[in-house]
């Protein structure tokens, strides 16, 4: 009887396990053998213009990651010694990783080449293997480094285009669900395997011209050395499209070897991400606003006292201004009169700096020239700059007087270039951009047309007047700026800026300046805007005229000689 009862219990238990719980145990068994592998997507390449053709500036190269499953490793010490012979490093560190508890996957090394991968796989150690991983490769070295950015070891785009367009570039990873044997090796022939192919990221064509970029970088480096400056930058923008044709900072780095750089400031595109008090390059924009409001006329003259007392502070000019006297609007730019810019602001308020003047100038700075907001250019870490509130704060009148000549506010060189382009091209603000088109995996192109943000920045009449004044400024100072020949066949306009550097706790250093220059070159119409920034040059004279202006001259002549500037008809 007992034997019959025991057999009955076994039969019932077998029925329960094999029939009632069949699906549960089958799934559990499969789960122990089923592994899901992510197949990395190939990141989209980045190309730029090279004359009439295009050339890749960012590619992918296949390298290998060495990994281990501690569960299957029979002799960690031996395996570690063998690996050290192939990839170098420290065998003891490898052994620690191979004996790590509580994990089935540890990375031992990255970025191994194909030969190293093949030698490791020939060792035949269970639980140790390599897998192919695409890594970014920058074949042009440091060219356009801060524009491009880089991809870190986690596959994330950092800085530049790599960060700004990370989603478009990274694509979509694939999946491999595979039945494995006891050693974790996929059984490729199994019918239950599921493959989801990865989708390659989009290819991106930049607006950058490689030849122009290379020459700009060479001239920038030489110009900074000449000015005894440790850092700076310059950009070239098309006035009627907003397209950036070249943009560079110095010092720079090689994105392929980003991990060798200790100073992360090198990664920043300072022309986009580091606003500064721009100094007197603001004056053409102040004049344009006053002319556009109709509070002054192009040929108007006024009495300049050579200083103003405002809110207990004094606005002065440089010593070379010639003192008090009758001045014209063009004198404000040519002689770089701080008092002249202040007088223009006064006219916006009916003859004095008041709430009306502040609000009118604030409107032009923020809604016409787009200061204090992001331009939307395809760069990581773009900064909006700072424009003071016209109705909130202490000493508003003197602060706004300072903004009229580029102090007490902050903008990036990119913002300044885009604003000037809008003033001299007839009054249309084009969004600055670095991307010309994208191409998806299937070959579908998405062409990025110039994007108009505002059409009435200033009137066409004001645009013509500002160009005339800026060209007059160049003509009167051509020898000072270092022009080496006549360019009567071309329109060249510009303005220097020697910007005082603010102290962290208020006020300005008396012996520290940044040199700025903002101008354009073209024929009947301005073709390119150029902005130059030279940080704290260590030479005699004004930083704008002695450090930044000669670099503007170099870039202007480079464009005329090599890049199709159309002369006057």
């Amino acid at each position: 009887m007992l034997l019959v009862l025991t057999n009955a219990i076994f039969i019932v238990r077998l029925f329960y396990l094999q029939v009632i719980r069949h699906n549960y145990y089958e799934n559990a068994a499969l789960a122990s053998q089923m592994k899901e592998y992510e197949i990395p997507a190939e990141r989209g390449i980045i190309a730029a213009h090279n004359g009439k053709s295009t050339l890749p500036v960012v590619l992918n190269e296949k390298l290998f990651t060495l990994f281990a499953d501690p569960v299957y490793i029979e002799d960690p010490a031996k395996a570690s010694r063998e690996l050290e012979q192939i990839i170098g490093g420290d065998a003891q560190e490898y052994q620690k990783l191979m004996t790590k508890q509580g994990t089935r996957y540890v990375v031992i090394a990255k970025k191994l080449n194909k030969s190293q991968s093949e030698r490791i796989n020939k060792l035949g150690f269970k639980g140790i293997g390599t897998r192919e991983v695409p890594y970014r490769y920058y074949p042009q070295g440091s060219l356009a480094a801060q524009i491009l950015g880089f991809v870190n070891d986690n596959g994330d785009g950092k800085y530049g285009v790599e960060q700004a367009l990370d989603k478009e570039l990274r694509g979509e990873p694939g999946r491999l669900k595979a039945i494995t044997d006891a050693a974790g090796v996929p059984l490729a022939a199994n019918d239950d395997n599921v493959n989801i192919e990865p989708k390659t990221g989009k290819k991106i064509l930049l607006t950058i011209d490689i030849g122009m970029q290379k020459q700009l970088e060479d001239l920038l480096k030489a110009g900074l050395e000449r000015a005894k400056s440790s850092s700076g930058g310059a950009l070239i923008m098309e006035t009627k499209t907003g397209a950036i044709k070249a943009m560079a900072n110095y010092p720079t780095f090689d994105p392929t070897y980003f991990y060798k750089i200790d100073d992360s400031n090198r990664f920043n595109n300072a022309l986009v991400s580091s606003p500064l008090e721009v100094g007197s390059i603001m004056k053409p924009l102040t004049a344009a606003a006053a002319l556009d409001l109709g509070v002054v006329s192009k040929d108007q003259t006024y009495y300049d006292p050579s200083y103003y007392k405002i809110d207990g502070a004094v606005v002065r000019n440089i010593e070379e201004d010639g003192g008090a006297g009758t001045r014209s609007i063009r004198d404000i730019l040519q002689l770089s009169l701080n008092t002249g810019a202040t007088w223009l602001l006064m006219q916006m308020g009916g003859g004095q700096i008041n709430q009306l003047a502040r609000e009118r100038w604030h409107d032009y700075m923020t809604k016409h020239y787009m200061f204090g907001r992001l331009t939307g250019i395809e760069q990581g870490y773009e900064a909006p700059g700072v424009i003071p509130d016209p109705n909130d704060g202490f000493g508003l009148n003197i602060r706004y007087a300072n903004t009229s000549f580029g102090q007490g506010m902050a903008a990036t060189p990119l913002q300044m270039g885009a604003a000037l382009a809008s003033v001299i091209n007839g009054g249309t603000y084009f969004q600055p951009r670095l991307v010309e088109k994208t191409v998806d995996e299937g070959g579908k192109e998405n062409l990025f047309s110039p994007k108009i943000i505002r059409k009435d920045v200033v009137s066409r009449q004001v645009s013509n007047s500002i160009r005339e004044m800026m060209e007059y400024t160049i003509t009167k100072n051509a020898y000072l700026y270092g022009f080496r020949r006549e360019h009567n066949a071309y329109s060249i306009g510009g303005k220097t800026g020697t910007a005082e550097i603010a102290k962290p706790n208020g006020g300005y250093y008396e012996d520290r300046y940044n040199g700025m220059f903002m101008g354009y070159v073209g024929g009947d119409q301005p073709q390119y805007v150029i902005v130059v920034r030279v940080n704290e040059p260590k030479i005699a004279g004004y930083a704008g005229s002695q450090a930044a202006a000669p670099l503007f001259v170099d870039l202007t002549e480079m464009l005329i000689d090599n890049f199709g500037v159309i002369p006057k008809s």
Side-chain angles (χ1 to χ4, degrees):
M1 184 67 182
L2 181 60
L3 181 61
V4 173
L5 182 60
T6 301
N7 288 336
I9 291 173
F10 276 115
I11 291 170
V12 171
R13 181 62 178 170
L14 287 171
F15 179 80
Y16 174 77
L17 294 174
Q18 293 180 359
V19 178
I20 297 177
R21 297 283 284 172
H22 170 78
N23 289 337
Y24 169 80
Y25 286 105
E26 181 182 51
N27 290 337
L30 282 172
S32 67
Q33 292 179 280
M34 182 79 78
K35 290 190 177 180
E36 184 171 340
Y37 297 84
E38 180 175 278
I39 307 171
E42 187 164 329
R43 199 169 175 91
I45 70 170
I46 302 175
H49 290 276
N50 185 35
K52 294 182 179 180
S53 63
T54 62
L55 190 69
V57 291
V58 185
L59 294 168
N60 300 304
E61 63 176 338
K62 305 293 186 182
L63 297 175
F64 295 83
T65 293
L66 172 62
F67 65 89
D69 184 342
V71 170
Y72 292 110
I73 299 176
E74 297 173 351
D75 190 344
K78 180 182 178 182
S80 298
R81 290 193 300 271
E82 294 281 356
L83 291 177
E84 185 184 53
Q85 295 299 313
I86 297 173
I87 64 174
D90 187 346
Q92 291 183 348
E93 290 298 321
Y94 300 154
Q95 186 172 344
K96 288 180 183 178
L97 292 171
M98 292 181 193
T99 55
K100 190 174 182 180
Q101 300 295 312
T103 182
R104 297 291 305 276
Y105 183 85
V106 291
V107 173
I108 298 175
K110 294 182 177 181
K111 297 186 178 180
L112 304 181
N113 59 42
K114 186 176 182 180
S115 174
Q116 290 172 316
S117 172
E118 290 174 347
R119 291 173 62 190
I120 290 169
N121 292 330
K122 284 181 180 179
L123 294 174
F125 289 120
K126 288 185 178 180
I128 296 175
T130 61
R131 68 185 180 99
E132 190 178 83
V133 178
Y135 283 94
R136 288 307 237 185
Y137 170 58
Y138 301 82
Q140 308 301 322
S142 63
L143 186 76
Q146 286 101 348
I147 292 176
L148 298 173
F150 58 86
V151 177
N152 66 17
D153 286 344
N154 295 323
D156 300 321
K158 303 299 292 183
Y159 299 90
V161 173
E162 293 277 28
Q163 177 174 318
L165 300 180
D166 185 56
K167 183 177 179 181
E168 291 84 350
L169 286 164
R170 69 165 55 241
E172 298 179 17
R175 290 284 188 273
L176 170 63
K177 292 182 178 179
I179 303 296
T180 66
D181 63 16
V185 177
L187 303 174
N190 193 292
D191 292 337
D192 292 324
N193 289 354
V194 178
N195 280 290
I196 302 175
E197 295 297 330
K199 292 183 179 179
T200 302
K202 292 180 180 179
K203 175 182 177 181
I204 292 177
L205 176 62
L206 301 178
T207 58
I208 295 296
D209 182 285
I210 291 176
M212 191 185 298
Q213 179 74 23
K214 179 67 169 65
Q215 292 189 47
L216 181 146
E217 292 188 13
D218 290 344
L219 291 171
L220 173 64
K221 184 175 184 293
L224 293 175
E225 290 175 351
R226 182 174 59 220
K228 298 180 181 179
S229 168
S230 61
S231 63
L235 65 86
I236 298 171
M237 174 192 295
E238 288 182 343
T239 59
K240 289 195 171 182
T241 67
I244 302 296
K245 302 305 293 182
M247 177 164 57
N249 300 269
Y250 184 84
T252 185
F253 70 103
D254 187 333
T256 301
Y257 306 104
F258 70 90
Y259 50 86
K260 295 183 178 180
I261 301 299
D262 295 327
D263 182 6
S264 61
N265 287 325
R266 285 203 186 187
F267 302 146
N268 266 323
N269 184 349
L271 297 165
V272 170
S273 63
S274 299
L276 76 161
E277 296 187 48
V278 297
S280 294
I281 63 171
M282 179 66 84
K283 289 169 183 170
L285 305 183
T286 310
L291 288 167
D292 200 54
L293 286 166
V295 297
V296 298
S297 60
K298 181 184 70 170
D299 298 318
Q300 184 173 347
T301 59
Y302 72 101
Y303 178 76
D304 193 304
S306 81
Y307 73 93
Y308 286 112
K309 289 185 178 180
I310 304 169
D311 289 344
V314 179
V315 173
R316 298 184 185 278
N317 294 325
I318 60 175
E319 295 177 1
E320 293 83 355
D321 72 335
T326 301
R327 302 295 183 198
S328 66
I329 307 298
R330 63 168 54 180
D331 288 336
I332 296 173
L333 304 190
Q334 192 263 313
L335 296 174
S336 199
L337 302 175
N338 293 341
T339 51
T342 303
W343 177 81
L344 290 170
L345 179 62
M346 290 176 172
Q347 306 320 298
M348 297 182 202
Q352 60 182 322
I353 302 177
N354 51 26
Q355 183 178 5
L356 177 61
R358 297 194 306 268
E359 288 180 347
R360 279 177 157 180
W361 179 221
H362 181 270
D363 179 70
Y364 269 83
M365 284 193 287
T366 59
K367 296 181 180 178
H368 290 245
Y369 304 147
M370 308 299 166
F371 298 148
R373 64 181 70 188
L374 301 178
T375 69
I377 194 169
E378 304 91 341
Q379 292 284 274
Y381 301 113
E382 183 186 7
V386 178
I387 300 298
D389 189 311
N391 297 310
D392 184 23
F394 176 77
L396 285 176
N397 288 337
I398 184 60
R399 190 169 188 187
Y400 259 72
N402 287 338
T403 66
S404 71
F405 48 87
Q407 301 279 172
M409 50 74 66
T412 64
L414 176 72
Q415 289 174 315
M416 295 302 296
L420 178 63
S422 71
V423 167
I424 63 172
N425 70 13
T428 301
Y429 188 104
F430 291 96
Q431 181 182 30
R433 62 193 179 96
L434 277 161
V435 175
E436 184 168 306
K437 71 175 179 180
T438 62
V439 184
D440 67 18
E441 186 179 37
K444 182 180 179 181
E445 294 188 355
N446 182 20
L447 186 65
F448 288 71
S449 300
K451 183 177 180 180
I452 295 175
I453 303 300
R454 181 164 184 157
K455 290 186 176 181
D456 59 344
V457 175
V458 295
S459 70
R460 184 166 293 278
Q461 182 179 3
V462 169
S463 179
N464 291 336
S465 296
I466 293 298
R467 284 166 50 193
E468 178 187 322
M469 293 176 190
M470 293 185 75
E471 289 172 27
Y472 173 80
T473 298
I474 288 289
T475 301
K476 295 290 286 186
N477 294 283
Y479 178 76
L480 172 66
Y481 298 158
F483 275 101
R484 293 173 288 280
R485 59 184 178 182
E486 293 294 328
H487 288 305
N488 294 329
Y490 301 93
S491 299
I492 303 172
K495 180 71 188 78
T496 60
T498 299
E500 293 180 300
I501 297 177
K503 295 179 179 179
N505 297 321
Y508 293 89
Y509 294 104
E510 295 182 357
D511 58 349
R512 296 174 62 185
Y513 303 90
N514 290 320
M516 299 289 295
F517 200 100
M518 183 171 73
Y520 62 87
V521 60
D524 293 332
Q525 297 293 326
Q527 192 168 341
Y528 296 110
V529 159
I530 302 168
V531 185
V532 173
R533 172 179 181 170
V534 179
N535 297 325
E536 297 192 59
K538 303 297 190 297
I539 56 174
Y542 295 104
S545 59
Q546 298 300 315
L551 184 48
F552 169 81
V553 173
D554 291 340
L555 295 172
T556 298
E557 296 190 336
M558 176 266 286
L559 291 171
I560 291 173
D561 290 342
N562 303 318
F563 294 100
V565 177
I566 302 170
K568 296 176 183 177
S569 59

